[in-house]
Amino acid sequence: MTEAFTVDASALINVRDKVTLITGGSSGIGLATAEFLLGLSPSNRVAILDRAEQPASLASERVFFHQCDATSWPAQRAGFEAAAQKFGRIDVVFANVGINERGDQFFSDVFDGDNKLKEPDRSVMDLDFTANADTVKLGIHYLRQNEKGGSIILTSSFAGYLGNPGAPFYNSAKHGLVGLMRSLKAETPKVNVAISVVAPAVTATPMLGSLDEVGMTAEENAAHLIRSGLTVNRVESVALAVGYLINGGPKSNGMGILVQGDKMVDLEKGYAKSKEAWMGKKMLNLVKRGPGKDLYRRIEDKAKI
């Protein structure tokens, strides 16, 4: 059984002199992470890429802010370029942009001016998955230039492991980020990059306000959910989990840290241990002996690059 654990911020001794680029860092988990890293060590610096304006709490010489639309490749690319120029390098990339489900895209039919079924609104997939995948691409490009490489952390969700009825695009995007991490984790160490996922359960962020149809604020909705018996994370706990993954360096590669009730558990460790239970021993052995590893082109080992 995979055990839950807690982390003491004072134990994060490797999170020093780090340049961390955070997408979606103007609010919620991204903002809490930026504030946490800046408070952890005076040698840490943060670059924020966000569509919103720079928050007053991040007005510091140790912060670089670049306003951009993360769904635009040229805009993200320009943000990475500017951050690297400002600080000389990037050590950590936190791919964190995201929005909530936007209405019912599958069971409610909307028709256009020609009375034909209207194309679904796929903006959730565009931001929550594609924009973050672009961040990973840019992150690998910059981190592999460092002598010691660096870390990439993606914000998935408990919905990226379990799924929730009513939010199919959001859940699919979050599942996709877990799949992206799993698909890259065997290759990233070859270029000195560790890739991992943080998967918060329900967390008190501005996104929480959009879950309630009667217009509750995030704070009101969090209080309402807590009163109804649901456990709600503090954003600081998710920021601590990000710090934990940064601190682990290469050892964090392939981790998927669920944050629930301000505690953590590595879901990927449990996933690896449970394969036989849900696939069956015979089927698992067939998969292990199969030619899957040879189907696609692999990158060379870092020692040969």
Side-chain angles (χ1 to χ4, degrees), residues 48 80 91 111 120 127 142 147 150:
I48 301 293
F80 269 80
D91 301 307
F111 297 89
L127 185 66
Y142 278 90
E147 182 180 352

Side-chain angles (χ1 to χ4, degrees), residues 2 161 178 181-182 185 197 254-257 265-274:
T2 305
Y161 283 93
V178 174
M181 181 274 289
R182 289 176 177 171
K185 68 178 183 179
V197 159
M255 285 187 174
I257 301 297
V265 64
D266 183 4
L267 295 180
E268 291 300 304
K269 183 183 291 185
Y271 164 73
K273 290 180 177 179
S274 67

Side-chain angles (χ1 to χ4, degrees), residues 218-264:
E219 292 77 13
E220 291 169 341
N221 212 350
H224 168 70
L225 293 172
I226 291 170
R227 286 195 301 271
S228 68
L230 185 68
T231 300
V232 178
N233 291 318
R234 297 177 300 114
V235 287
E236 293 81 5
S237 297
V238 184
L240 183 60
V242 175
Y244 171 77
L245 289 167
I246 297 171
N247 188 73
K251 294 181 180 179
S252 295
N253 188 61
M255 285 187 174
I257 301 297
L258 170 70
V259 185
Q260 169 82 337
D262 300 322
K263 294 184 178 180
M264 306 176 202

Side-chain angles (χ1 to χ4, degrees), residues 70-287:
T71 62
S72 164
W73 171 263
Q76 268 212 69
R77 183 179 58 196
F80 269 80
E81 290 173 354
Q85 183 175 10
K86 168 69 175 180
F87 294 126
R89 69 181 194 277
I90 298 170
D91 301 307
V92 179
V93 172
F94 184 25
N96 173 67
V97 292
I99 54 175
N100 236 325
E101 196 79 3
R102 290 191 165 178
D104 177 8
Q105 301 299 319
F106 288 91
F107 300 105
S108 297
D109 292 341
V110 178
F111 297 89
D112 62 18
D114 297 322
N115 202 33
K116 295 184 180 295
L117 191 63
K118 193 173 182 180
E119 183 178 6
D121 178 353
R122 290 185 284 270
S123 56
V124 173
M125 294 292 289
D126 293 340
L127 185 66
D128 290 16
F129 179 76
T130 304
N132 283 304
D134 286 350
T135 304
V136 172
K137 166 63 180 175
L138 287 160
I140 291 173
H141 172 74
Y142 278 90
L143 296 180
R144 70 190 302 180
Q145 298 176 30
N146 300 336
E147 182 180 352
K148 295 183 179 180
S151 301
I152 297 174
I153 300 156
L154 300 96
T155 299
S156 180
S157 167
F158 77 120
Y161 283 93
L162 302 176
N164 288 319
F169 272 150
Y170 178 82
N171 295 337
S172 296
K174 295 301 186 178
H175 272 76
L177 295 179
V178 174
L180 181 63
M181 181 274 289
R182 289 176 177 171
S183 300
L184 292 172
K185 68 178 183 179
E187 310 284 39
T188 49
K190 299 176 183 178
V191 292
N192 285 328
V193 173
I195 189 166
S196 58
V197 159
V198 62
V202 177
T203 304
T205 73
M207 279 181 62
L208 198 58
S210 66
L211 293 176
D212 195 279
E213 294 182 1
V214 300
M216 287 185 182
T217 66
E219 292 77 13
E220 291 169 341
N221 212 350
H224 168 70
L225 293 172
I226 291 170
R227 286 195 301 271
S228 68
L230 185 68
T231 300
V232 178
N233 291 318
R234 297 177 300 114
V235 287
E236 293 81 5
S237 297
V238 184
L240 183 60
V242 175
Y244 171 77
L245 289 167
I246 297 171
N247 188 73
K251 294 181 180 179
S252 295
N253 188 61
M255 285 187 174
I257 301 297
L258 170 70
V259 185
Q260 169 82 337
D262 300 322
K263 294 184 178 180
M264 306 176 202
V265 64
D266 183 4
L267 295 180
E268 291 300 304
K269 183 183 291 185
Y271 164 73
K273 290 180 177 179
S274 67
K275 282 183 179 179
E276 184 175 321
W278 59 267
M279 292 183 70
K281 186 173 182 179
K282 183 177 180 179
M283 190 65 72
L284 180 60
N285 287 336
L286 288 173
V287 170

